[in-house]
Amino acid sequence: MTGAVEYDVVVLGGGPAGENVVDRTRAAGLSTALVESELIGGECSYWACVPSKALLRPALARADARRVPGLAGAVGGALDTAAVFAHRDYWTGSWKDDGQVDWLDSIGAHAYRGHGRLYGVRKVAVTSPEGEHHVLSARHAVVVATGTRAVVPELPGISGARPWTSREATSAQASPGRLLIVGGSVVAAEMATAWQALGSEVTVLVRGPRLLPRMEPFAGELVAEALREAGAVVRTGVEVEAVVRDGPTGPVTVVLAGGESLEGDELLMATGRSPRTEDIGLDTVGLTPGDWIAVDDGCRVPGHDWLYAVGDVNHRALLTHQGKYQARIAGAAIAARAAGTPLDTAPWGAHAATADAQALPQAVFTDPEAAAVGLTLAEAERAGHRVRAVDHDLGKVSGAGLYADGYRGRARMVVDLDREILLGATFVGPGAAELLHAATIAVAGEVPIERLWHAVPAFPTISEVWLRLLEAYRGQL
């Protein structure tokens, strides 16, 4: 190996979380190296959030247009799949990261291509694709941001079946005639929406009782209802026991508990994520390879004053925007410690990722969209809060009726009765994701219900649902 090259900060993993650490530490004047084994920009940029939304946007726009009088008859045809794929490819840079590399150069960060591993305290060893070896030494911090990979369960026949994961589902260059999807997660719901709209016959097999199990029950129910109306098959309470692929390019068959078989042309396993930590040298610093990396609210690893973990790898919140938020918190903490200035680690302080637990937002780009922040009713009750859920039919808001004929949706806010603040909110309906940030501000800001009454929604917008929810809470409906 070459002699150690010293930086103030070394970041292991170049996805959105890692990039945001680099951005914050460089802004603070700290020399920073970034190590990435694949594409700089990570999973979200090339195989998750960005390509999935590029595939979904035409599907949702067409669905919205079909509900608008005077326009519905003009959008009855199929999507131009070639144009959709080309748009997706544009947003992924055709799976090239030149733009991200240029950005790193512009801020004075140093990128190392190759596999990086912790190499003891404050050190990272890098092996390049060409076989070169480097040791990077960190004066102040090493940050692990290696993310997660898709979990494919060990079923009989699964290895020979060559199933899709989220990567294949977002990067495929042709629509499969029949797509089987196993899982009830966000990936399952969004990819069912996208590929059904792109011409595939979609069947979704959910082991649990509903789609989107981490949201309010009505979210998954409304999404499943819309998928069925679009022509997809959604089955809940089913267990896949085995998978068979007929030759290298033949159809794939899933065998359900009880013996029933279903055949498709491709199979997407949307069955969770696992941390990419099995070969990054955790054992050299007393941690367990393959495990999630536990951190405190400042994203620092307990017992290691120089080691941080941000993004999916710490298992606090497996969402790109939360990983970026954690990176901003960790970057600020690293800069403060390097400068010898005091940290503000109190809840909602500058060096505490409080929102991971208290105000976590998520948008699901299905038709209808589902968006939520904070606690569900069940989560709030389990946490011991004295709460009340207030619901309203989104379709009865004037703005929703003008947005689309036959608008169907639902809104819920979960109120802490002792403090009279919002603990959570959920919206389901076409365009509902755009309601999310107002709710996030209300939850993160712990805005009193009485003050929310003075936040007047413009007429006629879907946001008038806030007024209807507050009226219901105050007993004025």
Side-chain angles (χ1 to χ4, degrees), residues 219-450:
E221 292 164 1
L222 286 169
V223 170
E225 179 183 335
L227 279 170
R228 291 183 179 113
E229 289 179 358
V233 174
V234 181
R235 295 178 58 177
T236 58
V238 294
E239 187 86 28
V240 175
E241 290 192 336
V243 182
V244 179
R245 171 77 78 171
D246 184 10
T249 59
V252 60
T253 300
V254 297
V255 181
L256 306 182
E260 182 184 358
S261 295
L262 299 173
E263 186 179 86
D265 297 296
E266 295 293 350
L267 168 66
L268 166 60
M269 300 300 293
T271 46
R273 311 285 298 180
S274 64
R276 296 181 60 160
T277 61
E278 70 281 357
D279 188 25
I280 61 167
L282 291 185
D283 53 311
T284 70
V285 294
L287 301 175
T288 303
D291 279 2
W292 303 99
I293 301 177
V295 296
D296 61 20
D297 281 349
C299 297
R300 189 162 64 163
V301 179
H304 302 74
D305 62 4
W306 55 275
L307 184 61
Y308 296 73
V310 298
D312 286 8
V313 75
N314 65 31
H315 207 232
R316 286 170 64 94
L318 274 67
L319 294 162
T320 297
H321 46 272
Q322 291 304 121
K324 293 164 71 173
Y325 163 70
Q326 293 168 16
R328 295 192 294 272
I329 297 295
I334 291 166
R337 289 188 171 106
T341 57
L343 270 66
D344 181 2
T345 58
W348 304 112
H351 307 109
T354 311
D356 284 346
Q358 302 298 324
L360 178 70
Q362 180 174 21
V364 184
F365 293 90
T366 46
D367 177 34
E369 292 176 348
V373 62
L375 302 180
T376 65
L377 174 60
E379 288 169 342
E381 290 174 339
R382 283 197 300 269
H385 297 287
R386 193 171 69 90
V387 293
R388 176 184 166 196
V390 181
D391 290 9
H392 191 75
D393 182 347
L394 261 179
K396 293 184 178 178
V397 176
S398 295
L402 291 165
Y403 186 94
D405 263 9
Y407 189 107
R408 283 182 292 175
R410 186 171 170 185
R412 168 174 288 179
M413 66 178 189
V414 179
V415 181
D416 183 326
L417 295 173
D418 294 318
R419 301 175 63 197
E420 290 224 311
I421 61 171
L422 295 191
L423 295 179
T426 299
F427 307 95
V428 182
E434 295 305 325
L435 297 170
L436 182 57
H437 196 57
T440 302
I441 293 170
V443 173
E446 299 180 344
V447 182
I449 292 289
E450 288 305 310

Side-chain angles (χ1 to χ4, degrees), residues 83-354:
V84 173
F85 294 153
H87 183 62
R88 184 263 324 266
D89 295 353
Y90 167 81
W91 277 98
T92 61
S94 295
W95 292 274
K96 297 177 182 177
D97 60 4
D98 298 354
Q100 303 300 100
V101 173
D102 289 344
W103 170 75
L104 286 174
D105 288 343
S106 75
I107 65 171
H110 194 148
Y112 287 83
R113 299 278 192 181
H115 180 68
R117 302 179 79 255
L118 294 172
Y119 193 58
V121 176
R122 299 178 189 271
K123 288 183 171 61
V124 173
V126 184
T127 302
S128 76
E130 296 76 28
E132 297 176 347
H133 302 283
H134 306 275
V135 175
L136 313 181
S137 178
R139 297 182 191 94
H140 298 296
V142 173
V143 184
V144 178
T146 50
T148 59
R149 60 168 51 87
V151 171
V152 177
E154 294 183 0
L155 296 169
I158 193 71
S159 59
R162 302 179 306 284
W164 280 6
T165 67
S166 52
R167 285 197 170 196
E168 291 77 19
T170 56
S171 63
Q173 295 294 332
S175 302
R178 300 164 299 171
L179 176 62
L180 304 174
I181 301 176
V182 177
S185 64
V186 173
V187 170
E190 288 191 342
M191 290 298 93
T193 301
W195 288 108
Q196 179 70 33
L198 288 165
S200 299
E201 295 179 8
V202 172
T203 299
V204 186
L205 305 172
V206 187
R207 181 171 60 182
R210 63 178 183 273
L211 288 173
L212 306 177
R214 296 190 177 184
M215 302 184 85
E216 296 282 9
F218 62 81
E221 292 164 1
L222 286 169
V223 170
E225 179 183 335
L227 279 170
R228 291 183 179 113
E229 289 179 358
V233 174
V234 181
R235 295 178 58 177
T236 58
V238 294
E239 187 86 28
V240 175
E241 290 192 336
V243 182
V244 179
R245 171 77 78 171
D246 184 10
T249 59
V252 60
T253 300
V254 297
V255 181
L256 306 182
E260 182 184 358
S261 295
L262 299 173
E263 186 179 86
D265 297 296
E266 295 293 350
L267 168 66
L268 166 60
M269 300 300 293
T271 46
R273 311 285 298 180
S274 64
R276 296 181 60 160
T277 61
E278 70 281 357
D279 188 25
I280 61 167
L282 291 185
D283 53 311
T284 70
V285 294
L287 301 175
T288 303
D291 279 2
W292 303 99
I293 301 177
V295 296
D296 61 20
D297 281 349
C299 297
R300 189 162 64 163
V301 179
H304 302 74
D305 62 4
W306 55 275
L307 184 61
Y308 296 73
V310 298
D312 286 8
V313 75
N314 65 31
H315 207 232
R316 286 170 64 94
L318 274 67
L319 294 162
T320 297
H321 46 272
Q322 291 304 121
K324 293 164 71 173
Y325 163 70
Q326 293 168 16
R328 295 192 294 272
I329 297 295
I334 291 166
R337 289 188 171 106
T341 57
L343 270 66
D344 181 2
T345 58
W348 304 112
H351 307 109
T354 311

Side-chain angles (χ1 to χ4, degrees), residues 20-106:
N20 272 260
V21 173
V22 174
D23 188 42
R24 294 297 87 210
T25 55
R26 285 299 301 131
L30 300 177
S31 61
T32 305
L34 176 70
V35 181
E36 174 55 50
S37 61
E38 293 188 289
L39 296 175
I40 295 171
E43 196 80 14
C44 178
S45 299
Y46 304 103
W47 300 287
C49 315
V50 171
S52 68
K53 302 315 169 282
L55 293 174
L56 284 159
R57 179 60 192 143
L60 301 187
R62 182 180 66 174
D64 283 346
R66 285 175 170 175
R67 292 186 280 258
V68 178
L71 181 59
V75 289
L79 294 175
D80 182 342
T81 56
V84 173
F85 294 153
H87 183 62
R88 184 263 324 266
D89 295 353
Y90 167 81
W91 277 98
T92 61
S94 295
W95 292 274
K96 297 177 182 177
D97 60 4
D98 298 354
Q100 303 300 100
V101 173
D102 289 344
W103 170 75
L104 286 174
D105 288 343
S106 75

